[in-house]
Amino acid sequence: MKRIKAGAITAALLVGSVFGVGVARWGLGAAASGELGKLASDRGLSGEEAEAALKTFLAPGQHDEYLMFASGGHSGQIHVIGVPSMQLLKTIPVFSTDSWSGYGVGADMSETIFREGSDPEKNDLLTWGDAHHPALSETEGEYDGRFIYVNDRANGRIGMVNLADFKTKQILDVPNMTTSHGGVFATPNTEYVHISSMQPQPQDGEFTELSEYEDKYRGVSTFVSVDQKSGKLDLAKSFQIELPPYDQDLADAGKLGSEGWAFINSYNTEMATGEAENVTLEGESITNDFDFLHIINWEKAAEVVEAGNYEMLNGVRYIPLETAIEEGLLYFAPEPRNPHGVDVAPNGEQIVVSGKLDPNVTVYSFEKIMKAIDSEDFDGTDPFGVPILKFDSVIQGQVEVGGGPLHSQFDDEGFAYTSLFVESAVAKWSLNPLELVEKIPIHYNVGHLVTAEGDTVSPDGKYLVSLNKWSVDRHPVVGTLKPQNFQLIDLDTPNMQLLKDMAIGFGEPHYTQIIKADKLTSRIEVYEPGTDPLTMEHSEWATEAGKENIVRDGDNLHVYMSAMRSHFTPDIVRAKAGDHVYMHVTNIETSPDATHGFAIPGYNKQISLDPGETVTVEFDATRSGSFAFYCTEFCSALHLEMQGWLLVEP
Ligand code: K7E
Ligand code: CUA
């Protein structure tokens, strides 16, 4: 898609002004007029605002240049949003149920994902999660459009979505951790996705008094192996590194020169538990001037586990802290107190840490870190024996960006953009020299921000989206729980220009990534006939037209059903109360968009059957009666006729 140049329209309007009427409030010194100018004037738009409208408007049928994948926060999904139009295109349920797609409320596929994603020893069946950080798969540090992963902040899990069909295929409950925040990020060739714990946990999983916090509680950094074909996570090939009981926060992967290394922020190196008298947990956890940037050599860690130097702990290869120190897998560098974001610059050399309680961003030099490690230029160790590098030996410098810096992203011209939570602004600064360039106010409290492909080795710049937590007065009052606000900012203008507000009526996005839409080359619109989306392979339960059947095997009733505009075959299913019923439904359509639904009233079952898809609905026919199943998707003129009977005899 070709972007409309702002200058062109201004020029067109200028030409128009020769013939037209003068217009009040026309900005940029250009006198606008003619029909467009009048329209802008009637709507009370400045020239800049009218330009912004043209830059983000999609003519009917046009598509966006970029797709943004936003985490849904504690609503548990991933949302797909077009950029620059800022239209919500799709919601992909990951950790939470969704009745449109039948995810978790009917399809055996999604119920399997939910079951397998809830360790019964550790959890109840989990039907929600707190999706924080999506990570697109990468090849050589570039998004490759194959898969996307996201962490569950609440339960220490990772959800995996295949970008062929935009469906969740797996939830992995990562052992030895509950809450998570460091990740997920993908290593530059998606060998691993990384997730680290947030609050430390007793590693035996048992009740442990907080007085034993230092002895028994531990954090972990987990490198979860990715199967390159399916994108699925393979715990058996993964490994975990034990960390001291600090709160490990955000994390990022090294790239280019720093490939093979990973970086995790921490806070509460005070190890406050809230048990101390006269001081709150929060108060005690901000007393140290410095916390520790964790510097992890994951490539070497992978070699250490390959050599057999690990323990097994709850199904994962576990490198004890002592081993990690001995093998040189873990180092600390001081970082100004209670930092939040750590982001590796596109060059792989600069590592940007933002401390929410410090107005500076601190830029570490990977080269200096390597020199300090090689020359063992340490400033002692932490209480657990981890070597601490000297702050002054490993930093390139600091930039004072403003109040409450959190997260940073990058463009293609050597600039970084940092969100300022306290100041409600975005700061633009240059990586070389380290200098503040410009700030733009945003509305209102910015958490993460994102630029186009802004955490890859070759960002596009172009657009920045500021993910604002409070919208305050930017949108109509729609009750007490308000939408948040995404703000699209143009990076191609001489100064950063605000283009658009997008109300976010779901809670609550944290991080997003923006990928060029044409990189999503694996997208499909129709499945091969009889595909089980869980495996992406032909289902053993698939039915072809003319081969529909009902097979009884004791109390098990297998129904091989097809769906096609506008009927289910068979459309009468007779069961006996107490039967275990399997409805194997195949949508035998081959046209894009020819989706059917299949809902059974009273049994809490609803599935979506996209063209070519086979889904099994499994349930115990516990109640007798006449149940009118029907197609839930308005698929054709005779959609209402697309119905049938499940007759359960007493
Ligand atoms: Cu800053 Cu979970 Cu990345 Cu929210 S986190 S903002
Ligand atoms: Cu099929 Cu409506």
Side-chain angles (χ1 to χ4, degrees):
M1 200 202 78
K2 203 166 160 284
R3 294 181 65 236
I4 299 157
K5 278 277 173 292
I9 192 69
T10 311
L13 294 169
L14 260 171
V15 172
S17 75
V18 176
F19 310 97
V21 217
V23 173
R25 281 208 68 209
W26 195 256
L28 303 175
S33 57
E35 286 304 307
L36 271 179
K38 181 166 183 312
L39 186 58
S41 159
D42 288 351
R43 295 205 59 202
L45 300 177
S46 70
E48 222 177 56
E49 287 162 343
E51 277 181 13
L54 286 172
K55 286 182 187 177
T56 56
F57 176 74
L58 280 187
Q62 278 186 343
H63 294 181
D64 280 298
E65 184 181 6
Y66 291 97
L67 295 181
M68 173 159 74
F69 291 85
S71 67
H74 38 305
S75 55
Q77 316 99 337
I78 292 177
H79 300 274
V80 188
I81 296 164
V83 175
S85 74
M86 304 302 277
Q87 299 183 86
L88 177 62
L89 296 165
K90 174 95 180 230
T91 293
I92 308 169
V94 181
F95 299 119
S96 307
T97 61
D98 171 56
S99 49
W100 178 32
S101 55
Y103 185 74
V105 293
D108 174 61
M109 160 193 166
S110 54
E111 285 166 2
T112 304
I113 294 173
F114 272 52
R115 272 199 310 274
E116 291 180 351
S118 306
D119 178 351
E121 303 258 305
K122 194 167 116 182
N123 304 313
D124 290 334
L125 184 73
L126 299 169
T127 56
W128 78 282
D130 189 1
H132 270 233
H133 304 124
L136 288 156
S137 57
E138 297 181 13
T139 301
E140 295 182 1
E142 300 273 12
Y143 299 150
D144 57 25
R146 295 182 298 153
F147 315 114
I148 189 164
Y149 303 85
V150 68
N151 73 308
D152 171 7
R153 158 81 174 84
N155 303 295
R157 299 182 298 164
I158 306 175
M160 179 256 152
V161 173
N162 192 327
L163 293 175
D165 60 356
F166 285 52
K167 284 182 187 165
T168 303
K169 306 297 175 180
Q170 186 186 20
I171 297 173
L172 179 74
D173 195 339
V174 181
N176 309 321
M177 56 190 286
T178 52
T179 55
S180 76
H181 209 225
V184 291
F185 64 70
T187 54
N189 287 297
T190 323
E191 299 95 334
Y192 300 99
V193 291
H194 174 269
I195 185 170
S196 45
S197 55
M198 191 154 203
Q199 286 96 343
Q201 277 291 306
Q203 292 295 278
D204 59 7
E206 298 297 320
F207 163 81
T208 308
E209 280 295 353
L210 290 170
S211 54
E212 297 189 88
Y213 196 79
E214 288 192 35
D215 284 345
K216 300 272 178 68
Y217 284 66
R218 289 293 178 269
V220 287
S221 155
T222 317
F223 288 83
V224 183
S225 177
V226 172
D227 177 77
Q228 294 306 308
K229 186 162 171 275
S230 66
K232 288 198 181 167
L233 304 163
D234 185 349
L235 194 62
K237 293 184 179 156
S238 307
F239 62 88
Q240 199 163 52
I241 303 170
E242 180 184 5
L243 300 174
Y246 309 142
D247 283 48
Q248 277 80 23
D249 200 7
L250 275 156
D252 200 4
K255 43 176 87 99
L256 300 176
S258 56
E259 186 169 345
W261 293 76
F263 308 91
I264 314 176
N265 275 337
S266 67
Y267 63 95
N268 198 14
T269 51
E270 297 83 354
M271 296 181 276
T273 60
E275 282 214 313
E277 276 179 32
N278 304 324
V279 57
T280 59
L281 196 165
E282 168 198 1
E284 195 187 346
S285 70
I286 57 171
T287 49
N288 289 351
D289 287 339
F290 288 96
D291 291 292
F292 296 126
L293 174 66
H294 295 34
I295 301 163
I296 293 177
N297 189 340
W298 65 258
E299 219 163 55
K300 191 161 175 203
E303 289 164 18
V304 166
V305 289
E306 278 318 308
N309 196 1
Y310 63 88
E311 295 170 6
M312 280 307 286
L313 191 62
N314 298 312
V316 67
R317 298 183 293 181
Y318 189 88
I319 304 178
L321 188 49
E322 246 175 42
T323 310
I325 296 166
E326 269 167 31
E327 296 278 355
L329 308 180
L330 177 66
Y331 300 91
F332 286 162
E335 51 185 4
R337 82 157 65 115
N338 294 59
H340 187 43
V342 55
D343 298 283
V344 178
N347 55 31
E349 157 62 17
Q350 291 163 295
I351 300 139
V352 178
V353 169
S354 301
K356 52 205 184 242
L357 301 179
D358 183 294
N360 296 296
V361 290
T362 303
V363 181
Y364 294 78
S365 154
F366 183 70
E367 211 184 303
K368 288 187 176 181
I369 290 172
M370 287 302 104
K371 268 196 197 133
I373 290 174
D374 288 346
S375 58
E376 301 191 356
D377 180 17
F378 303 138
D379 201 0
T381 69
D382 86 327
F384 300 88
V386 181
I388 303 171
L389 307 173
K390 290 182 185 139
F391 184 67
D392 291 329
S393 318
V394 293
I395 66 162
Q396 178 193 351
Q398 292 187 307
V399 188
E400 188 171 335
V401 288
L406 294 188
H407 300 286
S408 299
Q409 287 267 301
F410 307 92
D411 69 10
D412 53 337
E413 289 172 352
F415 296 105
Y417 301 83
T418 300
S419 54
L420 304 175
F421 182 83
V422 175
E423 207 174 308
S424 287
V426 169
K428 174 180 179 177
W429 51 279
S430 73
L431 286 161
N432 280 305
L434 294 176
E435 250 170 33
L436 180 66
V437 175
E438 186 198 350
K439 286 194 217 182
I440 183 170
I442 53 81
H443 311 86
Y444 289 92
N445 296 344
V446 51
H448 278 269
L449 44 62
V450 64
T451 55
E453 308 211 340
D455 65 2
T456 68
V457 294
S458 64
D460 285 10
K462 281 190 144 170
Y463 297 110
L464 181 148
V465 178
S466 164
L467 282 56
N468 307 332
K469 306 246 164 240
W470 284 30
S471 61
V472 191
D473 57 358
R474 299 294 280 195
H475 300 292
V477 175
V478 286
T480 46
L481 182 60
K482 290 181 168 231
Q484 300 100 62
N485 192 22
F486 279 9
Q487 289 192 303
L488 178 71
I489 291 164
D490 191 344
L491 298 182
D492 279 354
T493 36
N495 295 98
M496 290 185 278
Q497 186 195 350
L498 176 62
L499 295 179
K500 192 160 183 168
D501 280 18
M502 176 192 185
I504 297 292
F506 49 82
E508 160 217 334
H510 288 262
Y511 182 46
T512 72
Q513 289 181 328
I514 298 178
I515 180 173
K516 227 177 162 91
D518 62 16
K519 280 192 174 176
L520 293 153
T521 51
S522 62
R523 281 179 287 187
I524 55 167
E525 292 188 87
V526 174
Y527 291 109
E528 294 294 324
T531 298
D532 173 0
L534 187 58
T535 58
M536 294 301 266
E537 282 168 12
H538 189 78
S539 167
E540 58 176 311
W541 309 108
T543 304
E544 288 169 37
K547 297 202 178 153
E548 298 88 350
N549 201 2
I550 299 179
V551 179
R552 177 172 284 282
D553 169 17
D555 289 342
N556 292 326
L557 193 68
H558 287 274
V559 181
Y560 296 86
M561 184 184 280
S562 69
M564 164 117 196
R565 279 163 287 174
S566 304
H567 53 269
F568 295 106
T569 310
D571 54 6
I572 298 175
V573 174
R574 292 181 179 275
K576 296 201 180 76
D579 278 351
H580 193 70
V581 180
Y582 299 85
M583 299 263 207
H584 309 291
V585 195
T586 301
N587 179 345
I588 56 175
E589 305 264 6
T590 53
S591 344
D593 237 349
T595 292
H596 298 288
F598 179 76
I600 310 173
Y603 275 97
N604 200 36
K605 296 292 176 195
Q606 144 58 19
I607 58 175
S608 173
L609 291 151
D610 305 339
E613 179 172 351
T614 297
V615 177
T616 294
V617 185
E618 183 184 341
F619 60 97
D620 288 313
T622 47
R623 271 160 299 109
S624 56
S626 304
F627 301 92
F629 60 77
Y630 73 103
C631 170
T632 37
E633 192 87 18
F634 206 113
C635 53
S636 62
L638 294 178
H639 152 74
L640 294 173
E641 284 74 3
M642 194 165 173
Q643 56 186 349
W645 290 102
L646 167 68
L647 300 172
V648 183
E649 290 173 33

